[in-house]
């Protein structure tokens, strides 16, 4: 059985791409998935192209994440070198504005909008399979539900959908409660169980777990609000907080409760990442994050910093904070 290799992001949208891939293609192909952040995606792809026995693969996909210019050129050179073999295809699907430049390559498909609405990597991959006629008719309704849930969360549309949107937030919470492997198992099992009805819904057990975690989250947010520091970085007033959980919700909450802040920088010391969040319409956090080797959306972005820069980053923060008191 020929294999498909998928490189995808680590968040709900990235995992959603993996779930769509498995649900549509597993059984027809063996699926290998590597979840990557921006700091390792280029290295992982290039190592794969250099070391894998590519005759075992029918396709390589990159979803919900982009590569740098050097890697893009090497991918194109590789595809040119094997053009006569025709035993493998390579395609990238991303929806981040900072990746638009990749569209100059024939194997890259970067679209911020689908049907005039902000889209997601999961939705782009699903639409790709639909266009190819690869989704079995019986699988379309439940998969369509799931894709919309992921897209609504990733584009933050869920926040304006009242009760209808909370299922997107709940599904994202379940990913971090159960962990990636268990989440894959639960979602795919849910699809099989619900296929004849074509409706995605949460179990009573999942709802109970979410209620318990919601109480814990409220306490966590209350504590983090007290530790927020506001500093001036260039022309922007930035709220800085150290946190290792719920970056999107925490960032959104802090922005709304502190309207004088342009954006929030959430520093996760355990994995050396900085998550940026804003509710302002005139900011592009994706461009800011790109300067540091990251990327993302105008309102939600992030980057990773090297271990050796931790002490410098902390010193710079405290110095900046002290100077603006």
């Amino acid at each position: 059985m020929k294999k498909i290799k998928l490189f995808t992001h680590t968040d709900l949208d990235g995992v959603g791409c993996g779930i769509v891939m498995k649900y549509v293609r597993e059984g027809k192909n063996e699926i290998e998935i590597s979840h990557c952040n921006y700091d390792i995606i280029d290295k992982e792809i290039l190592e794969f192209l250099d070391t894998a026995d590519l005759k075992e693969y029918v396709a390589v996909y990159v979803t919900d994440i982009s590569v740098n210019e050097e890697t893009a050129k090497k991918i194109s050179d590789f595809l040119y070198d094997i053009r006569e073999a025709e035993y493998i295809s390579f395609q990238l699907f991303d929806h981040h504005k900072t990746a638009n430049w990749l569209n100059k390559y024939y194997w890259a498909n970067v679209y911020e909008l689908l049907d005039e609405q902000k889209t997601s990597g999961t939705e782009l991959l699903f639409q790709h399979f639909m266009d190819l006629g690869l989704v079995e008719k019986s699988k379309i309704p439940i998969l369509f539900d799931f894709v919309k849930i992921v897209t609504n969360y990733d584009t933050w549309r869920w926040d304006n959908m009242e009760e209808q949107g909370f299922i997107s937030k709940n599904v994202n919470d379940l990913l971090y409660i159960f962990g990636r492997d268990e989440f894959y198992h639960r979602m795919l099992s849910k699809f099989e169980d619900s296929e004849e009805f074509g409706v995605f819904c949460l179990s009573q057990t999942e709802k109970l777990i979410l209620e318990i975690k919601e109480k814990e989250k409220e306490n966590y947010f209350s504590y983090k609000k007290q530790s927020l520091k506001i500093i001036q970085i260039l022309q922007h007033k930035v709220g800085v907080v150290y946190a290792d959980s719920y970056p999107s919700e925490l960032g959104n909450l802090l922005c709304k409760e502190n309207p004088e802040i342009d954006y929030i920088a959430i520093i996760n010391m355990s994995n050396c990442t900085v998550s940026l969040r804003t509710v302002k319409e005139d900011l592009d956090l994706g461009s800011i994050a790109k300067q540091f080797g990251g990327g993302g959306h105008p309102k939600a972005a992030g980057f990773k910093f090297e271990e050796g820069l931790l002490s410098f980053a902390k010193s710079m923060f405290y110095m900046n904070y002290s100077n603006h008191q």
Side-chain angles (χ1 to χ4, degrees):
M1 183 184 291
K2 285 278 191 175
K3 302 177 185 177
I4 292 178
K5 179 67 178 182
L6 172 65
F7 296 93
T8 191
H9 201 203
T10 57
D11 64 359
L12 177 62
D13 190 19
V15 173
C17 293
I19 289 172
V20 168
M21 179 68 75
K22 278 182 167 289
Y23 194 49
V24 174
R25 301 303 301 158
E26 203 161 51
K28 305 174 183 69
N29 300 101
E30 181 182 339
I31 311 299
E32 292 182 357
I33 301 178
S34 294
H35 288 275
C36 305
N37 275 314
Y38 282 91
D39 60 316
I40 65 170
I41 182 64
D42 297 286
K43 176 176 175 289
E44 290 285 317
I45 291 176
L46 294 179
E47 282 187 359
F48 173 80
L49 296 179
D50 284 341
T51 63
D53 184 357
L54 297 176
K55 292 181 180 179
E56 296 181 358
Y57 295 83
V58 68
V60 178
Y61 286 88
V62 181
T63 56
D64 192 41
I65 195 167
S66 60
V67 297
N68 63 27
E69 182 74 53
E70 181 183 359
T71 301
K73 289 178 180 177
K74 289 182 178 179
I75 290 170
S76 289
D77 290 343
F78 164 80
L79 294 174
Y80 179 81
D81 290 341
I82 67 165
R83 67 193 185 283
E84 294 181 1
E86 296 183 352
Y87 55 78
I88 190 170
S89 67
F90 188 105
Q91 293 200 71
L92 178 146
F93 290 93
D94 195 11
H95 63 115
H96 297 102
K97 182 179 180 180
T98 51
N100 281 340
W101 64 272
L102 278 167
N103 281 324
K104 65 183 179 181
Y105 296 101
Y106 74 89
W107 44 265
N109 309 273
V110 182
Y111 303 101
E112 296 174 67
L113 304 177
L114 192 64
D115 296 330
E116 299 184 351
Q117 283 193 313
K118 287 184 178 179
T119 187
S120 66
T122 300
E123 188 171 39
L124 290 174
L125 184 62
F126 171 68
Q127 189 60 54
H128 167 68
F129 287 146
M130 288 288 289
D131 292 342
L132 294 177
L134 297 177
V135 187
E136 296 175 18
K137 188 175 181 179
S138 63
K139 293 183 175 182
I140 293 175
I142 185 70
L143 197 55
F144 181 83
D145 267 7
F146 176 75
V147 168
K148 284 301 180 185
I149 286 168
V150 172
T151 302
N152 287 339
Y153 185 81
D154 201 63
T155 59
W156 212 254
R157 282 201 295 267
W158 75 269
D159 196 38
N160 297 315
M161 298 173 67
E162 299 180 348
E163 289 188 15
Q164 183 185 358
F166 276 102
I167 190 170
S168 293
K169 173 181 172 295
N170 288 338
V171 169
N172 183 72
D173 287 346
L174 289 175
L175 169 60
Y176 294 98
I177 290 170
F178 292 128
R180 190 184 300 148
D181 291 343
E182 178 64 16
F183 185 79
Y184 266 99
H185 173 72
R186 282 179 172 269
M187 293 302 109
L188 291 168
S189 296
K190 190 186 297 293
F191 289 176
E192 297 296 342
D193 294 341
S194 305
E195 199 171 90
E196 65 176 295
F197 302 108
V199 177
F200 182 95
C201 57
L202 302 179
S203 69
Q204 290 302 316
T205 300
E206 289 168 343
K207 291 177 180 178
L208 178 59
I209 292 171
L210 286 164
E211 286 180 14
I212 296 171
K213 294 300 292 186
E214 192 64 31
K215 293 296 182 183
E216 293 180 5
K217 194 188 302 183
E218 288 175 5
N219 293 334
Y220 181 78
F221 287 170
S222 178
Y223 172 72
K224 290 302 174 183
K225 286 181 194 178
Q226 299 173 30
S227 65
L228 178 70
K229 302 293 188 286
I230 300 176
I231 63 175
Q232 190 75 25
I233 299 179
L234 299 178
Q235 71 271 34
H236 295 125
K237 186 170 288 189
V238 183
V240 180
V241 65
Y242 290 90
D244 56 10
S245 301
Y246 314 112
S248 291
E249 291 174 69
L250 178 60
N252 196 55
L253 176 66
L254 292 175
C255 283
K256 287 183 175 179
E257 293 191 353
N258 299 273
E260 75 277 14
I261 293 174
D262 292 311
Y263 65 88
I264 295 288
I266 302 171
I267 301 175
N268 187 333
M269 302 298 285
S270 63
N271 60 15
C272 303
T273 60
V274 179
S275 298
L276 309 179
R277 298 293 186 271
T278 188
V279 295
K280 305 283 187 180
E281 296 294 337
D282 57 347
L283 284 181
D284 184 358
L285 296 183
S287 296
I288 294 175
K290 189 176 181 180
Q291 299 175 37
F292 301 97
H297 304 286
K299 292 187 178 182
F303 59 91
K304 192 161 186 173
F305 53 94
E306 297 294 332
E307 185 74 25
L309 294 178
L310 285 178
S311 58
F312 172 77
K314 292 163 80 172
S315 299
M316 182 177 66
F317 163 68
Y318 286 120
M319 183 184 302
N320 203 336
Y321 173 64
S322 298
N323 290 338
H324 288 88
Q325 294 302 298

